[in-house]
Amino acid sequence: MGYNHEKIEKKWRERWAKEGVYEPDLKKAERPFYNLMMFPYPSAEGLHVGNMYAFVGSDIYGRFKRMRGYDVFEPIGLDGFGIHSENYALKIGAHPAKQAKISQRRFYKQLQMTGNGFAWEECLETYDPKYYKWTQWIFIQFFKNGLAYRKKQAVNWCPSCKTVLADEQVISGECERCSNKVVKKELEQWFFRITKYAERLLKNLGKIDWTEKIKIAQREWIGKSEGAEIEFGIKNHELKIKVFTTRPDTLFGATYMVLAPEHPLVSSIKHQISNWKEVEKYINQAKKKTELQRVDLAKEKTGVKLEGIKAINPANKKEISVFVADYVLSSYGTGAIMAVPAHDERDFEFAKKFKLPIIKVINPVLMRVPNPAARVDAAVSELAISGDLWEGEGEMINSAKFNGMSSEKAKWEITKFVGGKKKIQYHLRDWLISRQRYWGAPIPMIYCENCAAEKRGDQKEMPGWYSVPENQLPVKLPYVENFRPKGKGVSPLASIKSFFEVKCPSCGAKARRETDVSDTFLDSAWYYLRYPSVGEKKHAWNPELTKKWLPVNMYIGGAEHSVLHLLYSRFLTMVFNDLRLLAFDEPFTKFRAHGLLIKEGSKMSKSKGNIVNPDEYIKKFGADVFRIYLMFLAPFEQGGDFRDAGILGPERFLKRVYNFFETNKDKFMRELGLSSRSVILSPENLNTKRQLAKSIRKVTEDIKNLQYNTAISTLMTLLYYFEADSCTHISDAEDFIKLLAPFAPHITEEIWQNILKNKTSIHKELWPEYDPKLLQEDKFELVIQVNGKMRDKVSVPMNISQKEAEEIVFSREKIKNWLKGEKEKKIIFIPNRLINIVVHS
Ligand code: ANZ
Ligand code: ZN
């Protein structure tokens, strides 16, 4: 075909930009629709086809919405601050500040090549001081409202990235960025109080339309547990040990206790511990282990008994032993547990190893089976009781006056009995914000020793700490030639005197600027708020524009961010809502996770070395062909196998589309000159029209559900109908090309404007409608004549063959009567109209 994709695609991209086809009027838009895909981080050599897959999928949805009459806003930017970009710079031996500019050019060029309808006027980059000024401002708002605080704690430390990490960034014990093993390190750090929002983060999940698996991941991550707090006394001691338990009903079976190695009580009673040396040694070893190693069920349990210490079980006043063991974590609950070996697997294993008493207090056999359905449970219980361990509910035994009660009821009764209280516990922990790295937004805080000594500061609880006055923002990241992380627990900024030496904003004494930078995930937790107001100088986001455009209507991105970016963004939005900076408290009304591209059996990723660069494909086949190829691979939310071979199909398809229009060009132009009355409707036309109507319905539904692959195959089938119809009408052909427009934006524009001579962009056209009557008509009334006279009528499926029609007709009593047993001489069949049986002439 005479279609030069390289030239034509470039031409349209330039025209679209010049005419602002994808730039909605941000102030005046009447039907705003904010369509967003997670912005990329330019850590690699460039975009890979996995990224392009996700972006194109998001763009198709945006284009569809635009054609449905919305003012679609589809912005793009770069998440270029942070460890990922810095690690990349380190790897290739470049400076991150210089590399950022190179990557930016490269990424934007590639993103342009995809033909996506981005609003290029509203770009943002997180490393731009105009942007991170507001990231710092956000930090200050958090600080001022008691949501940012400092705490010394054993934190996750990546020895390779030489920085701390948030819990969410430790995946199966490994660094989210570099996959090295994470260790523990005691450091004083900045935290964001996300735990304060645990319940709201959980509850609000009910009101947002998100991919279910992301909601499940968030629910599990927040990890709400309902239980009780119960105090155990220590023999001959004032101090008490408080435990959190989800099974207070098992209290009579608590035969020993365990403290986390970091539990503060341990050192405060060390003089009473006769084997302190041994205990101390164990504690030091335990601190070196990662959390994952500690809680691993498969690992053999370890621990040391605190000799000379006895706790008292408040239910039966029995004296029980106390251990230090690393399977109990200091960061959860109270850092101490009551151990019930008969009903908890970890305790069971520990008790067997240390030969501790095991007392059953829950009988799994339900004595009264209230209904037949519950008998199954009873049978299961029967099985369980023969084993040693039962973790389920049941009937109370060995529990004094509570015997015979259901364990469910006993939970609260026993809690009351020992003076405990109900307690809700979340697994979610506060978000660790500081990073000991260079390439990030400096944390805008100042520490003054002078003020600290006099207990002065912005916050009572944090004497000496001041936020940088807002009119001094941004705190610019200085250019530091030697930006490499040192691994000493401080950022490279800590060696730049001119950076950290400042005056105290309060007393004017010599003070010190915070030298850690903030987590990249803070940059990306609010970027969607900035896009509609990128030019705004006075505020982080312009109130009117925000009201118009937010929350984001459709957000698409990777499922790997379920408890990272997607949780942090929700948290920030809730805080801004509480601070009356936003009128809504969920940032993304609808979220869908895209699938991943697989290459040779594994996920495409840099570390696997199986990255495919889209550039060469776009150059060879054009963006349109490549878009269709990617979307045709598999259902968008599922992802699929990337195999080059498949690309020829989409290429042939688009060639046929183009040829069809070119071949019929003159006919279409003639038709445009005729009045609509004189346009003839042939049987093939009807066929095409019906197929078109069906396709409009199907493609519309499919795009709504992100089922792009089946939408494309519908369009492929539809093309055959057009090709088979020698007198297609231009209006139908136009509908067809509109349906294809979101998938192949360039070629459809070329056909629309250049072949069909339209003056404005196809991407601003309205989505085709169909006549529902055409769909109902899957059947028609077949007229049955005998010797040319109508004798009967019957409703039959459209397009039935003569043979099928004959079978139906000859079996009808009425017709048999008319024929009176005579054999037919001739049959005349007019498809979709009538059948005439001629018996004599
Ligand atoms: C006694 C008991 C008896 C428990 C029983 C369970 C079963 P979730 O559901 O995750 O909240 N636990 C409490 N704090 C802990 C800590 N810091 N480190 C390790 N384990 C801890 O789990 C709550 C249960 O985990 C608690 O209930 C406690 O053991 C343990 F038959 O208390 B249970
Ligand atoms: Zn001061």
Side-chain angles (χ1 to χ4, degrees):
M1 67 178 174
Y3 185 83
N4 177 339
H5 63 76
E6 227 176 322
K7 229 170 91 190
I8 295 175
E9 291 190 346
K10 185 161 175 281
K11 171 182 85 182
W12 287 116
R13 280 198 296 270
E14 284 166 6
R15 281 271 286 280
W16 291 331
K18 210 173 106 209
E19 289 167 16
V21 170
Y22 308 119
E23 302 286 347
D25 186 332
L26 291 173
K27 285 208 185 87
K28 298 209 195 94
E30 270 166 24
R31 295 184 73 197
F33 189 92
Y34 193 165
N35 185 60
L36 190 64
M37 159 71 201
M38 287 180 183
F39 65 165
Y41 47 80
S43 62
E45 287 74 4
L47 278 189
H48 64 72
V49 296
N51 307 131
M52 178 160 162
Y53 176 77
F55 274 107
V56 168
S58 166
D59 182 60
I60 290 169
Y61 196 80
R63 288 179 177 279
F64 169 68
K65 281 287 179 180
R66 187 176 295 106
M67 294 177 80
R68 301 281 275 188
Y70 289 92
D71 298 291
V72 174
F73 181 41
E74 190 173 304
I76 186 72
L78 291 176
D79 186 15
F81 233 173
I83 300 191
H84 40 248
S85 299
E86 192 183 314
N87 280 0
Y88 177 64
L90 279 167
K91 189 179 124 195
I92 62 165
H95 191 279
K98 288 183 194 147
Q99 184 55 35
K101 293 283 158 212
I102 298 170
S103 296
Q104 182 174 325
R105 236 173 290 127
R106 210 184 142 67
F107 267 73
Y108 281 165
K109 173 135 190 279
Q110 281 187 301
L111 285 163
Q112 241 146 10
M113 298 286 286
T114 63
N116 274 12
F118 291 127
W120 285 104
E121 307 275 300
E122 280 83 18
C123 288
L124 64 79
E125 299 84 37
T126 50
Y127 45 77
D128 180 349
K130 288 201 287 297
Y131 180 83
Y132 72 70
K133 165 180 179 170
W134 298 109
T135 308
Q136 292 172 334
W137 175 83
I138 287 168
F139 187 100
I140 293 172
Q141 307 317 303
F142 273 59
F143 173 70
K144 286 186 171 162
N145 289 284
L147 293 165
Y149 68 96
R150 277 173 80 76
K151 176 172 73 171
K152 186 167 185 169
Q153 168 179 308
V155 292
N156 306 304
W157 174 264
C158 173
S160 162
C161 290
K162 298 187 172 62
T163 182
V164 299
L165 299 171
D167 286 332
E168 290 82 1
Q169 292 149 24
V170 182
I171 318 289
S172 311
E174 291 171 358
C175 171
E176 176 254 345
R177 292 288 7 126
C178 72
S179 298
N180 275 290
K181 264 217 162 351
V182 170
V183 298
K184 286 280 170 187
K185 196 164 175 154
E186 279 278 318
L187 283 172
E188 192 175 305
Q189 300 283 310
W190 286 101
F191 289 86
F192 272 7
R193 224 179 277 285
I194 189 170
T195 52
K196 196 178 160 197
Y197 286 81
E199 188 57 39
R200 190 147 157 214
L201 285 165
L202 210 53
K203 218 169 101 216
N204 270 11
L205 286 175
K207 71 170 186 188
I208 49 180
D209 175 9
W210 282 30
T211 302
E212 200 49 39
K213 69 173 174 187
I214 305 288
K215 288 192 185 183
I216 292 169
Q218 293 206 348
R219 236 173 251 133
E220 283 178 0
W221 185 257
I222 296 165
K224 181 177 183 173
S225 276
E226 292 179 38
E229 258 180 12
I230 293 174
E231 282 187 338
F232 284 61
I234 304 175
K235 195 183 169 190
N236 301 328
H237 224 292
E238 294 287 279
L239 294 171
K240 290 196 184 293
I241 304 174
K242 198 192 264 178
V243 303
F244 170 71
T245 174
T246 45
R247 296 299 303 269
D249 49 317
T250 64
L251 184 55
F252 283 85
T255 54
Y256 67 100
M257 298 189 83
V258 183
L259 302 176
E262 302 85 353
H263 199 293
L265 192 97
V266 184
S267 54
S268 64
I269 54 170
K270 71 177 178 196
H271 301 296
Q272 277 97 325
I273 302 173
S274 56
N275 60 337
W276 175 245
K277 279 255 130 37
E278 189 192 353
V279 173
E280 197 179 25
K281 191 172 149 211
Y282 179 81
I283 291 174
N284 288 334
Q285 273 168 0
K287 280 184 181 167
K288 287 196 202 112
K289 288 198 200 166
T290 65
E291 205 150 285
L292 202 77
Q293 290 168 329
R294 285 172 57 163
V295 297
D296 189 349
L297 269 178
K299 284 257 165 63
E300 201 184 308
K301 300 272 164 303
T302 63
V304 192
K305 191 167 168 181
L306 304 182
E307 300 290 354
I309 304 288
K310 285 284 178 196
I312 317 255
N313 183 329
N316 52 21
K317 308 287 183 236
K318 276 193 190 147
E319 288 180 12
I320 56 176
S321 305
V322 181
F323 285 78
V324 167
D326 64 11
Y327 79 92
V328 173
L329 303 173
S330 61
S331 50
Y332 186 62
T334 62
I337 65 155
M338 63 182 220
V340 185
H343 304 289
D344 180 281
E345 190 184 348
R346 295 157 299 179
D347 300 346
F348 180 69
E349 276 166 20
F350 191 87
K352 273 199 303 193
K353 182 167 169 187
F354 290 88
K355 307 219 158 37
L356 295 158
I358 300 176
I359 300 173
K360 288 182 184 164
V361 291
I362 310 285
N363 183 355
V365 179
L366 298 170
M367 301 308 277
R368 290 168 296 279
V369 179
N371 61 56
R375 263 181 226 134
V376 183
D377 290 339
V380 174
S381 304
E382 199 92 58
L383 265 178
I385 201 172
S386 53
D388 285 313
L389 179 69
W390 173 245
E391 294 194 301
E393 304 292 338
E395 189 187 76
M396 303 302 301
I397 52 171
N398 293 326
S399 300
K401 66 172 181 180
F402 300 98
N403 287 346
M405 196 183 273
S406 80
S407 57
E408 285 287 2
K409 189 169 176 220
K411 277 185 184 146
W412 180 230
E413 295 297 324
I414 293 182
T415 303
K416 259 196 312 202
F417 173 62
V418 299
K421 58 172 202 267
K422 270 191 189 164
K423 169 93 186 168
I424 289 172
Q425 187 70 50
Y426 300 91
H427 281 274
L428 184 68
R429 280 176 256 177
D430 279 340
W431 174 13
L432 173 48
I433 285 286
S434 344
R435 295 291 178 276
Q436 291 72 47
R437 295 289 295 241
Y438 167 67
W439 191 237
I443 291 178
M445 297 297 299
I446 291 169
Y447 181 71
C448 169
E449 260 178 30
N450 183 31
C451 287
E454 290 171 32
K455 298 254 176 284
R456 276 200 309 255
D458 273 349
Q459 297 286 319
K460 244 200 347 272
E461 308 77 38
M462 276 181 280
W465 282 102
Y466 293 98
S467 54
V468 170
E470 284 177 27
N471 61 10
Q472 287 173 27
L473 295 180
V475 175
K476 278 214 181 141
L477 179 69
Y479 184 86
V480 176
E481 190 54 50
N482 189 5
F483 66 92
R484 271 160 204 280
K486 305 239 174 346
K488 298 265 158 56
V490 291
S491 145
L493 292 177
S495 25
I496 311 296
K497 243 179 157 187
S498 57
F499 176 76
F500 66 71
E501 278 190 355
V502 285
K503 274 207 187 110
C504 169
S506 171
C507 73
K510 217 167 120 184
R512 193 182 159 91
R513 195 189 281 293
E514 169 67 70
T515 53
D516 281 355
V517 298
S518 56
D519 182 6
T520 338
F521 282 98
L522 181 59
D523 306 330
S524 57
W526 76 280
Y527 77 109
Y528 49 89
L529 296 173
R530 183 69 185 169
Y531 277 131
S533 354
V534 280
E536 173 70 47
K537 294 211 172 68
K538 287 209 198 76
H539 305 278
W541 49 86
N542 174 296
E544 275 96 67
L545 292 173
T546 304
K547 200 165 147 210
K548 199 173 214 20
W549 290 97
L550 281 132
V552 173
N553 299 88
M554 174 59 141
Y555 196 35
I556 288 180
E560 69 275 18
H561 291 288
S562 57
V563 297
L564 292 157
H565 165 64
L566 287 171
L567 192 65
Y568 299 145
S569 300
R570 297 184 59 217
F571 165 48
L572 259 73
T573 304
M574 284 174 192
V575 173
F576 297 144
N577 177 245
D578 283 353
L579 300 181
R580 296 174 188 280
L581 293 163
L582 291 178
F584 50 90
D585 70 349
E586 284 291 341
F588 316 120
T589 311
K590 182 166 175 167
F591 173 79
R592 289 292 178 273
H594 59 75
L596 296 174
L597 283 192
I598 303 293
K599 170 110 194 191
E600 283 129 25
S602 56
K603 174 189 163 186
M604 218 175 265
S605 78
K606 270 175 292 153
S607 52
K608 300 227 167 61
N610 60 355
I611 293 287
V612 180
N613 186 321
D615 298 5
E616 46 185 302
Y617 289 93
I618 292 179
K619 196 166 163 47
K620 188 157 168 212
F621 299 99
D624 286 342
V625 168
F626 200 50
R627 284 168 71 100
I628 294 214
Y629 165 70
L630 290 175
M631 293 303 110
F632 196 49
L633 277 178
F636 181 63
E637 289 174 87
Q638 190 180 305
D641 247 331
F642 184 89
R643 275 187 246 99
D644 306 18
I647 202 162
L648 296 174
E651 193 192 25
R652 263 196 304 272
F653 170 57
L654 288 189
K655 258 190 196 155
R656 274 172 48 215
V657 171
Y658 189 80
N659 287 343
F660 169 75
F661 280 92
E662 220 178 33
T663 319
N664 288 286
K665 187 173 161 178
D666 294 342
K667 197 189 83 195
F668 286 153
M669 289 306 117
R670 268 199 308 279
E671 195 187 324
L672 280 181
L674 297 174
S675 76
S676 60
R677 288 240 188 102
S678 39
V679 175
I680 315 148
L681 203 75
S682 72
E684 296 94 76
N685 282 165
L686 192 63
N687 233 351
T688 314
K689 279 187 194 303
R690 289 168 44 79
Q691 188 64 25
L692 175 63
K694 264 198 235 169
S695 305
I696 294 174
R697 181 176 62 180
K698 174 93 174 109
V699 173
T700 307
E701 279 314 300
D702 280 352
I703 296 184
K704 280 185 190 163
N705 297 319
L706 311 182
Q707 300 274 5
Y708 302 139
N709 58 329
T710 47
I712 292 169
S713 69
T714 300
L715 291 172
M716 288 175 168
T717 308
L718 180 58
L719 180 59
Y720 284 112
Y721 281 77
F722 279 107
E723 287 171 337
D725 177 358
S726 56
C727 37
T728 335
H729 296 157
I730 181 166
S731 61
D732 295 337
E734 282 188 342
D735 279 355
F736 168 72
I737 204 75
K738 285 179 197 167
L739 293 178
L740 184 61
F743 301 93
H746 307 89
I747 197 168
T748 50
E749 187 78 290
E750 174 71 12
I751 291 168
W752 182 253
Q753 296 204 38
N754 223 10
I755 297 184
L756 300 179
K757 302 294 174 210
N758 289 292
K759 294 275 176 294
T760 50
S761 173
I762 188 170
H763 303 299
K764 296 225 148 180
E765 285 296 310
L766 280 183
W767 192 248
E769 305 270 351
Y770 61 89
D771 180 357
K773 268 195 247 123
L774 283 169
L775 293 179
Q776 294 159 6
E777 303 233 338
D778 272 311
K779 293 197 159 182
F780 74 99
E781 295 270 287
L782 177 70
V783 172
I784 309 171
Q785 297 179 336
V786 178
N787 294 328
K789 291 209 176 82
M790 184 175 107
R791 298 300 186 193
D792 197 2
K793 265 204 281 189
V794 59
S795 169
V796 295
M798 276 300 273
N799 301 326
I800 59 165
S801 65
Q802 178 165 350
K803 208 165 150 261
E804 289 165 318
E806 283 175 18
E807 260 170 44
I808 294 168
V809 167
F810 283 115
S811 66
R812 291 177 76 79
E813 287 308 315
K814 218 170 170 183
I815 297 300
K816 280 185 195 161
N817 287 340
W818 280 109
L819 294 177
K820 300 188 190 89
E822 280 187 69
K823 187 102 184 84
E824 76 277 1
K825 285 204 180 109
K826 196 161 82 174
I827 293 179
I828 301 160
F829 179 69
I830 305 177
N832 297 334
R833 275 205 11 230
L834 68 76
I835 186 163
N836 181 10
I837 305 158
V838 183
V839 279
H840 53 76
S841 41

